[in-house]
Amino acid sequence: MKKIFVLSCALVFVSGGAGAANVINGNPFYNPAQGRFYNILTPVQANSEFDRFVIADEFGYGISDAFAIHVATSGSYDSSDNPEFGKWSWNDLEFGFDWDLWHENQLHAEVYGDVKQIYDTRENLQTVAYNWTAGARMGRITDNWTVAGVVQVDYLNDDLPQDTFDAWAMTVGIQGQYIVNNRWNWVGGLMFDFDLFDDYYDGERLRLQCGINYNIDATKYLGFYLEKDVVHSFKHSPATMGVVFGIDF
């Protein structure tokens, strides 16, 4: 999903690289064309303590050139002292959409949303919570670079009979991409997460993210991404790194 490792440092570049005609390359405004499918696989994501490993996959379809739907899921192995839901876990299942509302010349605006089931698989498969997301992205796309501002709201509520918990949170930030040539591009972002009601996050987070993508051809790319919450220490909030493979077909 665009949310998985595609957010990054505030980028304002002078146009200078060669333009690219790639269908999919990690651009934050990517949407599949009508009748096209896409798959974005994260075969491995690890933290800097190397005690948590995640595998994730997102599969989507373009209902029209402007509207796409997707399903995503992830699982993990956590060997830290206090793993969230056991060492081996199926983490979640997500359904969502992305809607390109408006574009004129180089200016674009879109909204997106999803609902995610969060699981506990220590003993039996159990839904412990639902997370609802609504967001908007607006920015500019040129032949060589993209910059987009993001506003997102999340609502988390539990699904356990013995507890009643809900929380609201908000994310604001900027995403960007710079195309070096038709093979290579850089992505980056800076995202600020904070609580609106109750403790959704474990303290405020300022997530700095960057990555590099290599286009195998016009419809396939490989990416390598890094992310770090710069507010907290590595011990409290380890950095994460991951590899992504994307394909449009």
Side-chain angles (χ1 to χ4, degrees), residues 15-238:
S15 177
N22 295 315
V23 174
I24 182 171
N25 63 3
N27 190 288
F29 280 112
Y30 164 76
N31 261 330
Q34 181 176 359
R36 300 279 295 184
F37 294 89
Y38 74 88
N39 185 245
I40 299 176
L41 172 67
T42 303
V44 62
Q45 175 191 332
N47 66 14
S48 53
E49 298 293 317
F50 294 101
D51 59 10
R52 179 174 170 81
F53 299 87
V54 176
I55 182 171
D57 197 22
E58 177 181 334
F59 184 81
Y61 175 72
I63 294 177
S64 71
D65 288 344
F67 189 83
I69 56 174
H70 71 264
V71 59
T73 190
S74 70
S76 65
Y77 174 79
D78 189 337
S79 60
S80 62
D81 291 338
N82 186 25
E84 187 175 9
F85 297 129
K87 285 193 173 183
W88 293 98
S89 175
W90 181 22
N91 296 339
D92 49 58
L93 180 64
E94 172 185 301
F95 298 92
F97 74 91
D98 199 308
W99 186 10
D100 183 1
L101 281 179
W102 170 81
H103 60 266
E104 183 175 343
N105 297 323
Q106 297 178 341
L107 301 178
H108 289 250
E110 65 180 25
V111 295
Y112 59 88
D114 60 63
V115 57
K116 179 185 294 183
Q117 281 186 310
I118 301 169
Y119 302 130
D120 178 358
T121 56
R122 279 173 293 192
E123 296 179 4
N124 299 308
L125 179 62
Q126 180 181 24
T127 302
V128 297
Y130 287 88
N131 188 90
W132 305 81
T133 297
R137 185 181 290 107
M138 184 172 182
R140 184 180 179 190
I141 304 174
T142 75
D143 289 340
N144 305 103
W145 55 267
T146 295
V147 64
V150 181
V151 177
Q152 177 179 307
V153 175
D154 283 275
Y155 171 65
L156 178 72
N157 68 297
D158 72 74
D159 192 44
L160 297 174
Q162 70 273 20
D163 195 9
T164 55
F165 170 81
D166 62 354
W168 291 83
M170 192 169 187
T171 297
V172 295
I174 191 167
Q175 302 173 322
Q177 181 186 51
Y178 177 67
I179 296 176
V180 179
N181 54 44
N182 65 348
R183 291 294 185 186
W184 297 96
N185 69 84
W186 294 92
V187 291
L190 190 65
M191 308 301 287
F192 179 53
D193 307 321
F194 56 94
D195 296 321
L196 291 175
F197 173 73
D198 219 326
D199 294 330
Y200 183 102
Y201 299 115
D202 185 15
E204 295 176 343
R205 303 184 303 180
L206 184 63
R207 294 181 288 121
L208 177 65
Q209 299 160 326
C210 60
I212 186 169
N213 295 320
Y214 174 75
N215 269 85
I216 301 168
D217 57 34
T219 60
K220 305 177 191 68
Y221 78 95
L222 283 170
F224 178 74
Y225 297 86
L226 295 170
E227 177 181 329
K228 178 67 180 79
D229 169 15
V230 297
V231 172
H232 300 99
S233 67
F234 277 87
K235 183 176 181 179
H236 180 84
S237 178

